[in-house]
């Protein structure tokens, strides 16, 4: 049996992620490997930590990578911060809030949830009422939930959690880099992300930042595996119930002790490092503003085509919009036609929104004027051929106006 080299078809990925990786990131990934304790490698690790402190807007020493997709970062944070039978509060407003609740439940937590209607966000007053009532050890919330495209305000939640003695964890997988995020100013204790959205990279590495309060909880659950344990290492009875996702051991691997935990995913570290370098070279706020502009142009374009937008637009993420599929139209057929004829991918959704909306992303390397205009022009043609009355050039013209062209 013979196989051919990998040769993926040309695609413009304009869905909710993954997106096309920046060519600089792909080049960085092709660099040669070095040993995990080579001074060059540990130097790259230290540089990556420093770069992501700027991306997260934090002074947290404990800012590093979890090897694995964004879900690996989520699971590492929750399983390391939550002891079995401790209470966790999850404010939910889309599919990924349900994911946080499930991971906490699997970690043995007593999970409590409050829900907002899909297309809305959770109010700070609702969070405070629930925190005061439940008295959780951890509040876990998504910032940008791509299933609904809503961007949850976070600026008041850190103070609410601190007032009631809870830690605040934020899943910023789909939002970091393209939307405002201020880890220190907002009082966030733990946050995780992925590379495959606004950070312009591939899936497979999860940036994480941890406050001193979060690190203290993790350290209180310390247990180092027997084969590498020193005589003075203590072992907590409440040790983290995962070996791979034990952030205490991962911190020791990234820290001065360089305690062997796993072999770092070197090529993914190269990718994550380059993602951060690209953002900081352009300017962190400039990247957020670019996402705001591209997202606004896409929003204006789909509305000018006569399409309805799902949810509270005032709380929409910069980097993705949910478009109501016109009545009587086969949404999957339109997605297929876009892919076959134009090489453009847009997304569907989950749960109550499955088959009801398309999700169109403008994120990372693809938050560009040409990508927005190309997608709108192609969508117009596919809709017209499907029998939908759309104004000729309406989407592109509206997007150009949004860009000030």
């Amino acid at each position: 049996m013979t196989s051919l080299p990998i040769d993926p078809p040309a695609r413009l990925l304009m869905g909710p992620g993954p997106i096309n990786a920046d060519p600089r990131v792909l080049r960085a990934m092709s660099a040669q490997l070095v040993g995990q304790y080579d001074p060059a490698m540990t130097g790259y690790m230290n540089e990556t930590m420093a770069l992501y402190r700027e991306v997260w807007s934090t002074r947290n020493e404990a800012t590093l990578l979890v090897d694995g997709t964004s879900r690996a970062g989520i699971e590492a944070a929750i399983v390391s911060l939550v002891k079995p039978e401790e209470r966790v509060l999850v404010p939910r407003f889309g599919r990924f809030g349900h994911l946080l609740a499930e991971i906490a439940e699997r970690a043995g937590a007593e999970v409590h949830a409050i829900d907002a209607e899909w297309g809305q966000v959770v109010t700070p007053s609702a969070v405070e009422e629930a925190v005061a009532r439940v008295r959780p050890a951890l509040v876990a919330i998504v910032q940008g939930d791509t299933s609904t495209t809503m961007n949850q305000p976070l600026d008041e939640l850190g103070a609410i959690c601190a007032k009631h003695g809870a830690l605040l964890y934020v899943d910023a997988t789909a939002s970091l880099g393209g939307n405002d995020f201020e880890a220190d100013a907002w009082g966030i204790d733990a946050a995780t992300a992925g590379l495959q959205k606004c950070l312009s990279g591939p899936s497979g590495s999860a940036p994480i930042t941890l406050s001193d309060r979060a690190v203290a909880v993790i350290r209180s659950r310390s247990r180092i595996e027997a084969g590498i344990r020193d005589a003075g290492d203590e072992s907590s009875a409440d040790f983290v119930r995962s070996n791979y996702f034990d952030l205490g051991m991962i911190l020791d691997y990234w820290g001065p002790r360089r305690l062997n935990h796993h072999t770092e995913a070197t090529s993914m570290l190269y990718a994550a490092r380059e993602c951060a370098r690209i953002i900081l070279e352009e300017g962190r706020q400039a990247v957020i503003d670019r996402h705001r502009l591209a997202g606004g142009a896409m929003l204006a374009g789909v509305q000018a085509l006569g399409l309805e937008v799902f949810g509270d637009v005032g709380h929409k993420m910069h980097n993705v919009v949910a478009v109501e599929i016109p009545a009587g139209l086969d949404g999957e057929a339109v997605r297929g036609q876009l892919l076959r004829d134009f090489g453009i991918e847009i997304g569907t959704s989950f749960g109550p929104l499955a088959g009801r909306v398309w999700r169109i992303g403008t994120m990372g390397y693809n938050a560009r004027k040409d990508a927005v205009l190309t997608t709108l022009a192609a969508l117009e043609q596919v809709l017209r051929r499907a029998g939908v009355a759309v104004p000729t050039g309406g989407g592109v013209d509206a997007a150009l106006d949004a860009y000030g062209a």
Side-chain angles (χ1 to χ4, degrees), residues 76-293:
I78 291 176
V79 76
S80 296
L81 290 170
V82 179
K83 300 173 186 177
E85 300 183 1
E86 280 190 325
R87 294 178 181 178
V88 173
L89 175 68
V90 184
R92 302 182 301 203
F93 55 98
R95 178 246 169 126
F96 293 102
H98 288 274
L99 173 63
L100 301 189
E102 173 160 332
I103 291 174
E105 184 178 6
R106 287 173 181 255
E110 178 186 317
V111 178
H112 298 256
I114 55 173
D115 290 291
E117 180 183 353
W118 284 34
Q120 305 295 319
V121 295
V122 184
T123 64
S125 60
V127 173
E128 181 152 32
E129 184 280 327
V131 171
R133 171 172 43 83
V134 173
R135 308 298 297 182
L138 180 75
V139 174
I141 193 167
V142 177
Q143 183 185 30
D145 194 315
T146 54
S147 67
T148 66
T149 75
M150 293 297 101
N151 188 16
Q152 172 66 42
L154 300 172
D155 55 317
E156 298 181 46
L157 302 191
I160 290 170
C161 291
K163 174 183 173 182
H164 295 278
L167 294 175
L168 175 60
Y169 161 68
V170 175
D171 169 15
T173 296
S175 52
L176 183 66
N179 302 266
D180 294 328
F181 196 98
E182 301 291 334
D184 286 356
W186 294 347
I188 293 168
D189 293 296
T192 63
L195 304 185
Q196 75 275 17
K197 311 277 188 175
C198 301
L199 299 184
S200 296
S203 178
S205 183
I208 184 170
T209 189
L210 301 162
S211 72
D212 290 345
R213 291 177 66 211
V215 170
V217 170
I218 293 164
R219 292 298 189 194
S220 75
R221 306 185 67 198
S222 178
R223 170 173 161 160
I224 297 170
E225 58 190 77
I228 56 174
R229 188 182 304 154
D230 288 341
D233 288 331
E234 297 182 2
S235 185
S236 170
D238 288 321
F239 60 88
V240 175
R241 284 341 195 237
S242 170
N243 178 288
Y244 188 73
F245 292 134
D246 183 341
L247 286 176
M249 288 201 290
I250 295 173
L251 285 168
D252 282 336
Y253 179 55
W254 281 75
R257 193 173 180 184
R258 298 294 176 192
L259 189 66
N260 182 260
H261 174 254
H262 66 287
T263 301
E264 179 60 23
T266 308
S267 298
M268 286 308 307
L269 182 141
Y270 295 165
R273 178 178 176 273
E274 192 65 10
C275 287
R277 275 172 28 87
I278 290 168
I279 285 177
L280 298 177
E281 282 181 15
E282 183 176 347
R284 181 174 175 273
Q285 189 58 52
V287 174
I288 294 170
D289 290 343
R290 172 165 58 82
H291 280 82
R292 180 185 292 110
L293 181 58

Side-chain angles (χ1 to χ4, degrees), residues 387-400:
V388 180
V390 289
T392 303
V396 170
D397 283 344
L400 285 170

Side-chain angles (χ1 to χ4, degrees), residues 251 258 313 323 336 338 347:
L251 285 168
R258 298 294 176 192
V313 173
V323 179
L338 273 171

Side-chain angles (χ1 to χ4, degrees), residues 305 307 326 329 380 382-390:
L305 288 174
L307 301 173
L329 190 65
E380 176 190 327
V382 173
L383 289 173
R384 179 176 291 110
R385 291 182 67 85
V388 180
V390 289

